[in-house]
Amino acid sequence: MVQTPPRVLTVAGSDSGGGAGIQADLKTMLAHGVHGMSVIAAVTAQNSLGVQGYWELPAEAVRAQFRSVVDDIGVQAIKTGMLASPNLVAVVAELLGEVRVPVVVDPVASSKHGDTLLANDALETLRTRLLPVSTLVTPNLYEVELLTGHKVRERADMRGAAEAMLGFGPDWVLVKGGHLEGEAADLLFDGTDERWFTSPRYDNRHTHGTGCTLASAIASRLALGDTVPDAVAAAKEYVTGAIRAGFPLGEGIGPVDHAWRWRDGF
């Protein structure tokens, strides 16, 4: 008898270039052997050079997609990405409050090229509505500073950043230190258990989609039954390989390679 794989839902924006957003999420989920599903919250016009524009979907469209999937198919884990506006953040937080599965929040604030993807007036809604219903939040250092005012200049500052993020109510926070010099070190913290995950830094500029990919990999591992620390460890190993194998695409920054494990065997 054919077994149904674990189901993981992404609530995020669409990346027309295929390197980040919904597209990266679904590729990552496939690579982890889970069934990926999507709620599209925004559509971007995006390529290797940047984001040329984005358009939010109406709240009722987001709500309808979520209810359609969750009520019929069910879900074992959820990942959120680009939500853009206070209204979308609030609607998604309300929907997430109705389910009892792990929720991984990637608080997407800008693209790899620096294009803004989160309105300033959405920050407070994210802090007060979305983070309290999350199992794990995965901010980079720019997002930490936006949300907490805590500037991380070196690895020693990351513990304070994690504590500040936990103040908003998530169960765990993973502060990503990839923008610091030296090895790529991320800190996972729940207020008591502090764990560091490190990896080599590869000289590869093609890193579009790293945040989406990491969060989706964690959600996939949680759906497969991992604990949060084990899920982060497995996801870190996966995204490190994807960064190493990132390839040129177009005239700008190419994507990480979500299929690197398959290609290694080709």
Side-chain angles (χ1 to χ4, degrees):
M1 181 178 176
V2 175
Q3 295 293 316
T4 301
R7 289 141 286 166
V8 183
L9 177 64
T10 170
V11 184
S14 169
D15 173 3
S16 55
I22 292 284
Q23 288 80 356
D25 297 339
L26 294 177
K27 292 173 188 178
T28 300
M29 292 169 189
L30 178 62
H32 284 81
V34 302
H35 176 68
M37 307 171 293
S38 64
V39 171
I40 298 176
V43 175
T44 69
Q46 187 172 172
N47 56 26
S48 70
L49 297 173
V51 178
Q52 291 77 47
Y54 73 82
W55 298 266
E56 299 170 29
L57 266 68
E60 58 267 30
V62 171
R63 188 185 302 276
Q65 291 176 81
F66 187 95
R67 289 265 63 92
S68 179
V69 170
V70 173
D71 293 349
D72 173 49
I73 300 173
V75 63
Q76 275 74 56
I78 298 173
K79 176 259 180 183
T80 72
M82 175 189 174
L83 298 179
S85 72
N87 190 33
L88 288 182
V89 173
V91 167
V92 171
E94 175 192 336
L95 292 167
L96 294 177
E98 300 171 4
V99 296
R100 295 293 179 266
V101 299
V103 173
V104 179
V105 171
D106 181 15
V108 176
S110 69
S111 74
K112 182 67 67 177
H113 306 83
D115 306 291
T116 298
L117 298 175
L118 181 69
N120 285 334
D121 58 357
L123 291 172
E124 186 61 18
T125 311
L126 197 152
R127 293 184 193 103
T128 60
R129 299 287 300 276
L130 187 58
L131 295 187
V133 297
S134 66
T135 305
L136 171 69
V137 59
T138 62
N140 61 31
L141 302 185
Y142 171 68
E143 291 155 354
V144 164
E145 186 174 359
L146 273 182
L147 289 164
T148 70
H150 192 106
K151 188 170 182 63
V152 177
R153 295 181 175 83
E154 56 186 5
R155 182 165 163 172
D157 298 328
M158 291 172 66
R159 169 66 180 263
E163 291 173 341
M165 288 296 302
L166 284 174
F168 298 128
D171 296 332
W172 294 81
V173 59
L174 180 68
V175 177
K176 299 179 294 189
H179 292 110
L180 297 177
E181 294 183 359
E183 63 182 357
D186 304 331
L187 171 61
L188 178 67
F189 191 52
D190 69 347
T192 303
D193 190 0
E194 177 181 325
R195 303 196 189 199
W196 288 90
F197 299 88
T198 61
S199 63
R201 185 177 298 278
Y202 293 104
D203 184 19
N204 185 355
R205 67 189 291 260
H206 302 300
T207 56
H208 183 51
T210 50
C212 306
T213 299
L214 179 66
S216 293
I218 294 170
S220 298
R221 294 303 314 184
L222 291 174
L224 289 164
D226 282 2
T227 64
V228 170
D230 286 348
V232 171
K236 175 78 170 179
E237 189 269 336
Y238 170 75
V239 79
T240 299
I243 290 170
R244 175 182 53 80
F247 52 85
L249 198 69
E251 299 300 320
I253 299 173
V256 301
D257 187 359
H258 301 95
W260 67 271
R261 284 176 173 153
W262 300 338
R263 296 191 212 283
D264 279 357
F266 288 170

